Amino acid sequence: MKKILSLCLAAALALSLAACGKSEPESYPVEVVGPERTSAPMPTADPQAPASPQPGWLVAPRTDIDIQKSLADYDKPQATQLAQQDQLAFFLQNDKIGVIDLDGTVRIPAEKDVHWCGVCGITNSDESEIYEQDGTVVGSGGHGLAGGTIYYDVNSKKVYAEDMGWLYSWEELKASTNQPFIADAVSITPKEGAGGPDDTYISATDTPVDVSEAQGKIIIMPDGAALDGVVYEDVTSASEGLFAAKMAGLWGFVNATTGQQAVPFVYEAVRPFNEGLAAVKTATGWGYINTSGAEQTVMTFENAQSASGGKAWVKTADGWGVALLSDWKA
């Protein structure tokens, strides 16, 4: 049976790709300054933002935007530099997504309706524009979608990459990565009968197999071996040497090298570590801990994003603002 390994598989094995959504493009005027580089309007402070923040705030809380996610939570994209990536966040306004920085300056207006792509970084809805941290357009996307899923078979203890109905073993692919990664923990068993065109096959043997529903997530080392063999309910990408992992409905952090627990599984939700701090949610609210699990701020924010430079987007009853974390000590 003919086997096709699409070009998308190599991208999937980089473990940083995210499929880019597509919809009708929104646009705003740009000035062409070169064959592949254009410049967006000079970013300015949003006129709706409060001008005089209260003590403890760099940017006073506001209710006209909803911060969605800090870009510090994403791995570096492959196509752009984004030197100030951890200073940026996605915000929602009028049902569309833009980019704002930790000074309250809108870098990309919400009308562009951008999203994150592991290859492009910040890109608009139809991938016709890729942006740098200052809102400058540096090219177009169109790289295609990531294809395939990474599986860990709990029976054979082997890692497979799925592509177009074929399972390629880690050894067969000779995949190259120097970072631990996350796989779906599944049970892969031989399928009775000869199999059909819609079945899944193991590439090296042409054996039709059944792949179970994911039992959870498992951390895999660069050589394809499981880090500690623990199947977690969920795991997020490693940051500063720690994986955020979920067990028994609660989140904690495990060491990305040893698999040992670094921060107890006691949180309702967590963000990745950045500059030694992670935003976590407790029964009383959101706040920040260090890599030892010690609380560094009050734990009463309604929501909180990843910190950078001692400041972060946090939400209170007055809305989203940029807090100076040193003024909110535990």
Side-chain angles (χ1 to χ4, degrees):
M1 184 176 293
K2 184 178 180 180
K3 296 174 285 184
I4 301 174
L5 178 58
S6 71
L7 294 177
C8 293
L9 181 57
L13 292 174
L15 306 173
S16 62
L17 288 179
C20 293
K22 295 179 182 291
S23 60
E24 290 300 314
E26 299 289 335
S27 63
Y28 65 91
V30 296
E31 176 189 357
V32 177
V33 296
E36 293 190 15
R37 189 177 183 92
T38 61
S39 59
M42 183 64 68
T44 58
D46 191 321
Q48 298 184 57
S52 301
Q54 303 167 357
W57 298 98
L58 177 65
V59 177
R62 49 190 296 191
T63 58
D64 62 308
I65 63 173
D66 187 16
I67 302 298
Q68 301 291 290
K69 189 171 185 177
S70 168
L71 270 61
D73 294 355
Y74 297 105
D75 293 332
K76 283 286 186 182
Q78 299 176 15
T80 51
Q81 297 300 314
L82 286 181
Q84 298 175 330
Q85 180 175 326
D86 62 357
Q87 298 288 307
L88 306 175
F90 286 128
F91 72 94
L92 177 68
Q93 190 174 50
N94 299 323
D95 296 322
K96 294 184 178 181
I97 302 292
V99 174
I100 193 169
D101 66 22
L102 284 170
D103 293 325
T105 301
V106 173
R107 294 295 180 176
I108 302 171
E111 65 189 60
K112 296 303 293 180
D113 204 16
V114 298
H115 59 272
W116 183 261
C117 166
V119 175
C120 304
I122 307 169
T123 184
N124 62 340
S125 58
D126 68 345
E127 296 185 19
S128 62
E129 295 178 345
I130 300 174
Y131 306 91
E132 280 292 355
Q133 66 272 0
D134 59 357
T136 301
V137 179
V138 293
S140 61
H143 58 81
L145 302 180
T149 302
I150 305 297
Y151 293 123
Y152 177 80
D153 178 20
V154 297
N155 299 318
S156 67
K157 313 300 183 187
K158 290 185 176 181
V159 174
Y160 292 92
E162 185 277 331
D163 186 69
M164 299 179 66
W166 290 89
L167 298 182
Y168 297 85
S169 71
W170 201 245
E171 295 81 3
E172 182 181 4
L173 288 165
K174 296 180 173 60
S176 177
T177 177
N178 59 5
Q179 298 294 328
F181 58 94
I182 304 164
D184 286 344
V186 298
S187 176
I188 298 175
T189 54
K191 185 180 179 68
E192 294 184 4
D198 296 328
D199 287 329
T200 298
Y201 292 81
I202 292 180
S203 171
T205 62
D206 289 356
T207 302
V209 294
D210 286 319
V211 180
S212 72
E213 293 292 326
Q215 302 170 16
K217 301 288 186 180
I218 192 165
I219 301 170
I220 306 297
M221 299 302 286
D223 63 359
L227 171 61
D228 53 12
V230 177
V231 176
Y232 297 97
E233 293 176 19
D234 200 1
V235 184
T236 65
S237 297
S239 177
E240 300 190 358
L242 297 173
F243 278 100
K246 185 179 183 181
M247 292 187 70
L250 294 173
W251 288 86
F253 293 87
V254 296
N255 187 288
T257 302
T258 66
Q260 293 181 336
Q261 177 181 286
V263 177
F265 293 84
V266 296
Y267 301 106
E268 297 178 11
V270 299
R271 314 280 189 216
F273 274 95
N274 190 54
E275 298 181 2
L277 293 176
V280 299
K281 184 181 181 183
T282 68
T284 60
W286 285 85
Y288 294 85
I289 61 171
N290 62 19
T291 54
S292 298
E295 296 179 359
Q296 302 298 293
T297 67
V298 297
M299 309 298 286
T300 55
F301 296 117
E302 291 186 6
N303 206 332
Q305 298 295 334
S306 293
S308 177
K311 53 190 177 182
W313 283 101
V314 301
K315 186 179 182 181
T316 67
D318 296 321
W320 281 98
V322 178
L324 298 169
L325 298 182
S326 60
D327 293 343
W328 299 82
K329 288 293 186 181

